[in-house]
Amino acid sequence: MQRWLAWGLKVAVSCLLGLGVLFAQEITSFEIMDNAAMGLTVTPFEKWGMAIGDFDRNGYPDIFCLRWKAPGYSRIFSNQSGKFTDVTGDSPLEALEAKETGTRTTLWVDYDNDGDQDLSISGEKGIYLLRNENNLFTDVSASVGFVGKIPPGFITSWVYTIGGWADYDLDGDLDCVVAQENNKDLYLFRNDNGHFTDVAAQAGLTATVLANSSSLSWTDFDLDGDPDLYAGLYFFRNDHGVFTNVTEALGFAGLSDVSQREMFDYDNDGDLDFFKAVGSATTAGTNEVWENRDGVFINVSADVGLTVSRDRYRSMTIGDFDNDGDKDIFLQLNIDPSLDYLLVNDELESGARAFENVAEFAGISKTGDRKGSAFLDYDMDGFLDIYLPSAEHNHILYHNLADNGANWIGFMLQGVVSNRDAVGSLVTVYTGAKKQICYTVCGNGFVRQDNPYVHFGLGLNTSVDSVVIRWPLGLRQVIANPAVNQYHKIIEPETSEVADPRAVSRMPQTCRLEQNYPNPFNPGTRMVYHLTRSVPVQIEICDAAGRRLITLVNEVRPAGRHELRWDGRDAQGRKRATGVYFYRLTTPDEVQTRKMILMQ
């Protein structure tokens, strides 16, 4: 069966090639796993998303399948070497959800930094925190101050939604933001050694446009080291623990009709871009990609060929399913006879980006009532699988057949000075001229929590030059030449004291490489870089395949600002053709790469 799926996929890709869609490498295909054989037992309740975590820290991702409306109760599936076991009986979920008419969100989080993941849950009547003690769960909500309240006035509904967890104040433990229906204020539960205080007023999160949102998320959209907030149409920057609405300053004033959304580096230029999908087939809005250009976002949907139809999208997930080094998009529909979308992200020879729906060709075949989707590597083979809760099928688990020969690398991060889950880490992988980043979060938006491990596809590259980890409290760790095709468990280096976490998170780097100007250019361009101290520096120009064309600098340079030019010629003095090129700055501590375009 697997052989026929792979053969069919190659035929389908050949058809796409005939239509002018070019892929840098073959994509992978999926098979549907048998739920009973996998241990994913019947879940007789209405589904409302899922959360993926590793609550027992055994190195395999576990699944929380969330019940929406009564009757029934949610299920916890423990993953043991790729097979699942229902362990819900070790939790108070059945009794807890018997009091709740509806459960809304759940997230795995190590709130007490004791090394195992706990459960945070929101419902129509309350919010709950279940502490994990040796894989047995106890409700500690009231004792730790993780409690909401009924808003004032005559209301009949006060539904809670947990937006996510992040260390917003950079003190080493995870805090939680919660929205509530009919409440003009958010909750911001500051975590002080496992006890919570609502500090939304001090943080500027009362009476804002974020109120009542069901899709709050944390991310660091400016990559300055502290987590910011966004929800739907609005973006709030974290300035030393106080939040400011910067939606217009980011270029999002014209943003509209956002249902599902995610921030990720779609073009591998080292910053976070934005993707959003609409929530209705009849809406006037469109599905869009917004590219981050020096901190201002530009709608580039037409440039990347995004032609996804308007529909009722109920979830999405981001990951490099074909391991080619570019993040792809899975878009999940709701009650619809149409197939879900699997948008492969490919960089063309011209340097342009294109998204193409390959769901049908890749083996995505189930329809029906489904809410929630996640990329996860359930068998830890380095190729991302897909999980969806389903009304008709209980579970849909697509196994990635890993049939394209691509390489990969993964990381399991453990904080020591920072929070134990290492939420808020920025991981950068350098392979030749290519640079990929991943910012770790706890909570990915509406009814989902994705893959708990950091994963990068490498394409046909057989080695990684270096990995740079910026831990949540700002410590930088460089790992040279890590082995590929395996997951690495990385523990944060300890320090004796962190007197001011914000000062640590903003420690100057050894170097800073600016974007070249002009760009695109002809015949030459200027490059500027800054050094915080005297260090050996190498600056190289590479082509789109990562081949070095010329070395412009290879010597010790003093601290300060430095400028150089490239005339578009290689080491032999030959003029280079029109295309995408990369310039790479290397010091003993780090590597920085930027993209430029030569127009002849």
Side-chain angles (χ1 to χ4, degrees):
M1 180 65 178
Q2 295 182 7
R3 181 181 60 185
W4 286 108
L5 279 171
W7 176 83
L9 178 63
K10 292 178 180 178
V11 171
V13 170
S14 297
C15 295
L16 287 173
L17 290 172
L19 295 173
V21 180
L22 301 176
F23 296 105
Q25 65 177 48
E26 290 184 358
I27 60 176
T28 57
S29 51
F30 294 87
E31 64 175 341
I32 298 173
M33 302 305 290
D34 179 81
N35 288 336
M38 296 303 300
L40 294 171
T41 53
V42 173
T43 50
F45 51 81
E46 190 171 358
K47 312 298 189 299
W48 191 256
M50 81 292 116
I52 309 297
D54 184 6
F55 73 85
D56 51 6
R57 303 290 192 190
N58 70 344
Y60 283 83
D62 309 304
I63 296 174
F64 186 104
C65 184
L66 193 149
R67 179 218 73 169
W68 182 23
K69 295 288 187 180
Y73 54 94
S74 302
R75 297 294 197 275
I76 300 172
F77 291 95
S78 172
N79 184 350
Q80 302 293 324
S81 301
K83 294 295 177 67
F84 294 90
T85 302
D86 184 345
V87 296
T88 315
D90 296 330
S91 76
L93 279 174
E94 183 174 7
L96 185 154
E97 290 186 293
K99 303 181 295 183
E100 276 285 355
T101 53
T103 311
R104 289 305 180 101
T105 52
T106 186
L107 294 173
W108 296 102
V109 58
D110 188 358
Y111 83 92
D112 52 2
N113 284 336
D114 67 348
D116 48 27
Q117 288 190 309
D118 314 293
L119 263 177
S120 58
I121 300 172
S122 75
E124 296 185 356
K125 301 300 182 184
I127 53 176
Y128 310 93
L129 195 56
L130 308 185
R131 185 172 61 213
N132 180 356
E133 297 179 3
N134 298 319
N135 302 329
L136 300 175
F137 294 88
T138 305
D139 185 357
V140 297
S141 313
S143 63
V144 300
F146 193 72
V147 178
K149 57 184 182 296
I150 300 175
F154 181 74
I155 60 171
T156 58
S157 179
W158 53 91
V159 174
Y160 296 87
T161 299
I162 295 176
W165 293 78
D167 187 4
Y168 92 96
D169 54 356
L170 301 178
D171 66 348
D173 45 27
L174 292 172
D175 315 293
C176 186
V177 65
V178 178
Q180 184 181 29
E181 185 180 355
N182 291 313
N183 190 342
K184 63 180 178 60
D185 303 328
L186 297 178
Y187 296 91
L188 179 58
F189 288 103
R190 187 185 67 209
N191 183 351
D192 298 307
N193 297 317
H195 289 79
F196 295 89
T197 305
D198 181 13
V199 295
Q202 297 93 304
L205 293 177
T206 56
T208 73
V209 291
L210 297 177
N212 298 303
S213 175
S214 62
S215 61
L216 276 169
S217 290
W218 295 98
T219 192
D220 187 5
F221 53 70
D222 51 7
L223 295 182
D224 68 344
D226 50 18
D228 312 300
L229 272 174
Y230 73 111
L233 307 176
Y234 304 107
F235 297 76
F236 278 60
R237 187 182 63 221
N238 182 355
D239 296 316
H240 298 279
V242 178
F243 293 84
T244 304
N245 188 344
V246 293
T247 305
E248 291 190 13
L250 293 177
F252 284 123
L255 192 64
S256 64
D257 193 9
V258 178
S259 171
Q260 303 302 315
R261 77 289 179 279
E262 185 68 274
M263 300 197 79
F264 67 105
D265 187 9
Y266 92 96
D267 54 357
N268 288 332
D269 66 348
D271 51 27
L272 297 176
D273 310 295
F274 179 73
F275 172 85
K276 69 98 170 176
V278 299
S280 169
T282 59
T283 182
T286 56
N287 307 294
E288 296 167 354
V289 175
W290 291 65
E291 185 176 309
N292 185 345
R293 297 181 180 173
D294 296 323
V296 176
F297 290 79
I298 308 296
N299 188 342
V300 296
S301 306
D303 299 336
V304 299
L306 188 67
T307 57
V308 183
S309 302
R310 299 183 182 93
D311 218 316
R312 293 201 296 171
Y313 301 109
R314 285 298 177 266
S315 189
M316 65 174 290
T317 184
I318 300 294
D320 187 0
F321 81 91
D322 56 352
N323 280 346
D324 68 343
D326 305 304
K327 294 291 193 296
D328 310 301
I329 303 172
F330 182 85
L331 266 178
Q332 177 252 312
L333 298 171
N334 187 209
I335 305 173
D336 196 290
S338 302
L339 294 177
D340 298 320
Y341 284 85
L342 182 59
L343 302 178
V344 64
N345 175 8
D346 207 45
E347 183 173 12
L348 308 181
E349 290 185 359
S350 64
R353 290 273 166 181
F355 285 96
E356 184 70 24
N357 181 24
V358 297
E360 184 176 0
F361 312 118
I364 304 302
S365 59
K366 293 289 188 181
T367 60
D369 186 355
R370 51 213 189 274
K371 289 189 182 77
S373 59
F375 278 123
L376 76 166
D377 189 1
Y378 83 86
D379 53 358
M380 298 302 285
D381 66 350
F383 283 76
L384 296 179
D385 314 296
I386 305 171
Y387 173 78
L388 302 89
S390 165
E392 293 87 349
H393 310 288
N394 288 292
H395 316 272
I396 301 173
L397 180 61
Y398 290 108
H399 174 230
N400 192 329
L401 293 175
D403 48 8
N404 69 348
N407 299 306
W408 57 277
I409 192 169
F411 302 94
M412 302 175 184
L413 304 182
Q414 179 178 311
V416 176
V417 180
S418 304
N419 68 85
R420 186 62 64 92
D421 279 343
V423 171
S425 298
L426 179 66
V427 183
T428 307
V429 169
Y430 296 94
T431 306
K434 192 162 191 171
K435 171 183 178 179
Q436 299 183 64
I437 68 170
C438 176
Y439 180 77
T440 61
V441 297
C442 178
N444 300 87
F446 185 64
V447 300
R448 67 188 176 99
Q449 182 179 20
D450 289 345
N451 184 19
Y453 315 122
V454 177
H455 170 272
F456 295 97
L458 301 175
L460 301 180
N461 291 300
T462 58
S463 63
V464 169
D465 296 330
S466 63
V467 177
V468 180
I469 302 173
R470 186 193 72 189
W471 293 90
L473 294 188
L475 300 175
R476 294 171 59 82
Q477 181 178 3
V478 180
I479 303 168
N481 306 119
V484 303
N485 296 331
Q486 68 182 66
Y487 284 95
H488 299 263
K489 184 174 182 179
I490 309 295
I491 299 176
E492 181 183 21
E494 293 191 55
T495 58
S496 58
E497 182 180 3
V498 180
D500 183 353
R502 289 190 181 84
V504 173
S505 71
R506 289 166 177 78
M507 287 189 304
Q509 302 170 201
T510 303
C511 60
R512 178 168 61 87
L513 183 62
E514 295 185 6
Q515 185 65 51
N516 66 302
Y517 181 83
N519 188 38
F521 66 94
N522 179 19
T525 187
R526 174 176 61 88
M527 290 164 276
V528 173
Y529 63 99
H530 304 262
L531 301 176
T532 60
R533 66 178 189 272
S534 177
V535 290
V537 172
Q538 184 179 71
I539 297 180
E540 304 165 298
I541 306 295
C542 302
D543 63 14
R547 295 182 290 260
R548 184 174 62 227
L549 303 177
I550 188 171
T551 300
L552 300 179
V553 178
N554 190 17
E555 61 185 359
V556 175
R557 301 305 302 270
R561 181 183 184 275
H562 301 271
E563 180 177 326
L564 69 158
R565 291 184 60 82
W566 183 49
D567 60 3
R569 298 176 183 269
D570 61 20
Q572 286 72 44
R574 297 171 297 200
K575 287 186 177 181
R576 301 299 303 180
T578 295
V580 174
Y581 296 87
F582 296 87
Y583 56 107
R584 179 172 61 199
L585 184 155
T586 304
T587 72
D589 299 321
E590 60 190 297
V591 179
Q592 294 191 22
T593 304
R594 286 188 177 270
K595 180 169 66 176
M596 56 185 173
I597 299 175
L598 171 61
M599 302 290 293
Q600 294 286 16

